[in-house]
Amino acid sequence: MKSKDEGTGAMIRKNGRSAHGGTGIWLPALFLALLLAAALIPAAAPPAFGAIITVENSLIPVLSAEVTRQDPAVIGEEFSIVYLVKNISDKPAYDVDYSFNVMNAVDNYPFVMEKPNPIERLDPGASAAVSIKFKVDVGAREQTYRINGLFTCTDAGKSAPVVYSAISDVSISFTTVRPNLTVTELTILEEDPDTEEGFTIRLGFKNSSLIYDLRNVLIQLEGGENFEIMEISSKKEITRIPANQTNFIEFKLRSREGRSSNTILLTTSFNYSLGSVDDKREELFVPIKDEPPSSGVRPQVIIKRYTLSKDQVLAGDRINLTLEIENTNARPVKNVLINFGVESTSSEGGGSSGSTVFAPVGSSNTFHVEEIKGKSTITNTITFAVDSGALARTYIVPVTITYEDEKGQFMDLFVRDNVNIPVTQQAKLSVTSMMLPSSANVGMPVPVMAEFVNSGKVDLADFSVRLEGDFDTMDASMYMAKLMIGVTTSYTGMLTANEEGEVEGKLIVSYLDNNNLEVVEEYPFTLNVTQMEEPAFPEGGMMYPDGMYPSDISDEPVVIRLLKAYWLPGVLGLVILIQFIYIIRIKKKAKEEFFED
C-alpha cells in the first residue's frame, strides 16, 4: 500500500497505524543488527535477479488515499479537501465512507464537515475523487491543524470495517482568499459640470487581490430619483482586471427634477479562478455643485476631494490625509466640525485591546472651522499613525461634518462620507538555516539544504527555490503557489561535480512581494572539486589494520578481524548515512505532496 510521509501531503494508514510501521528511530538499530548477522552467520543465498515475490491474497479490500487538492482555509469561511481513493486490491470494497479527526485539537475544533454520501462499491483497480467541504469556526486562531481523513470500507461479507487514513496539514488565516473589488475613485471630468444637460463621472475599480485576476466584471449604475443614466445601458462590463490593478469606467449622468441628494447606487459582480462573487450593492456620493439656492434653503457642505500623502501606505507608517471641503451654497456656514472615525484592530483579529488602525498624531480626531464662505472650499489635513499590526487591506474611514447656517436658522446640519485608505504590510522572507557546500569529490553527490520562514505580515505568492551551476543536479527546484504568514518550509537538493577545479554555483530564491513585484535573492558558493583518493593496500593485495603485520594476525576469519578493529567508526558512519538518507526522503516526499496541489 502506498505510504505518504508526514507534512501537507497525505499519509496512508491502516487501522490507525502508519503503513511504514512508526517513526524512523528503529531503522539504524535494524541495519546494525543485519550487519552483525551478516558478519557472524553464513549468508543465505539471495534470490535470483528478477524473481517474483508473491503475497497471499486477502479477503479484505485494500484502499489507498491521497490529497489531490486543498483550498486555502480562512476563518469563518468554507474550503474543500479533495481526496483520490483507489482500490489497490483484487477484492471489491463496499460502503466506502469518510470521517475525520483533528490530531492536534479537541473534538475536531475548529472544523465542521458537510457529510458526504458514501461510495456503495469500489471495484478492484477503480478510483474515485471525494470532495469534502469544511467550514472554519469564526472563533478559530491562526495556526496549522492536522486533519486525519479516515476512509472505512467493508468486504462482500459486510464484516467489520477497515480504516485507512490520509493526513494533511491545514493552515488557517484571517486573510480572505476571495478577492474584493473596491471603488477607489469617483470624479467628475468636466471642470464646470452642467447638471441639466449632463456631465460625465469616472469610476476607478481596483482588484485588491495579489493573486487572482477578476474576469467578467459586471457594473450597473442606478440613479434612482436623483440622476438619469444617459447611456444606452446602465450596465457595463470589464473583461479582465489583473491582480492589484485598477481599471476605469465612465458614465454620463443628468440631474432629475426634484433631486433630493447626490447619491447613486452601484452594483458589481465578477468571476475569478475559484468561482464567482455575488452582487455587491453600495451607495456612492457624486460631488457636484448645486445651483445657488434661494433664501431660506438649507446650505449644503460636501467633501469635494481627498488625497493621501503616499500612494502606498505601509503598516507602522505615518500618512497625511487632506480633505477639500466645499460649501456648495451661496450662503456661508459656521461652526463646522469635522470628525474622523477610527477602526479598532480588535475587529481584525489582532492588536491590543482598544488600539486603532489609524491614530491621529498630535491632535484629536475632531477639528473645528469657524466659517466656510459661500461657494468656497477649505482644505484640512490630519496626520495618522498606522498600526504596525494592521492587516493588509483597504480600510474605510468614516468622515462626519456637522455645521449650521450663518443665522442659526438651521442647526445640527450634517453630511457623512467615507474615505478609503489601502494599507499593505512589508513582505519579508528570513533564512533560518542554510548549508552550502565548499568542497566535493568528482562524481560524488553533495547535499544543498536551506530552511525559510515567511516572517512578514503578508503571504508570499509564487515562492520558488532553484539550484544552478556547472554541475549535475537532483531535485534542483521547488515551487509553492503561496507561502503563508509564519509558515516555515525547507529545500533539499543534490549536486554532482564532473570535473576537477573550482566550480561556481548559486541557490536562487524568488517570490512576489506585497506590491505583486518579483523579489529575487541569490546565494552564491564555490566548490573546490578534487579526485577521490584511492585507498593504499600493502603488498599482497590485503589491507590490514594499522600497526598489524601478517604474522600478528590470528586464524580468525577476515570479516571478524576487520569488524573487531573498525566496529566503532563503521557503526557510527552507517548510522549517520542512514539518518541522512532518511531525512532527505522525508523532506522530498513531504515537499512533493505539499506542492502537488
Side-chain angles (χ1 to χ4, degrees), residues 4 39 62 138 159 186 234 275 284 310 382 388 448 503 564:
K4 310 283 182 180
V62 181
V138 294
S159 58
L186 193 162
S234 61
L284 302 179
K310 297 180 179 180
I382 182 174
S388 59
V448 177
V503 177
K564 287 182 178 180

Side-chain angles (χ1 to χ4, degrees), residues 210 312-316 390-393 422-426 458 514-515:
L210 298 179
Q312 177 177 296
V313 180
L314 288 175
L391 297 178
R393 68 176 182 85
V423 176
T424 186
Q425 281 278 0
Q426 189 75 35
V458 293
N514 50 304
N515 296 317

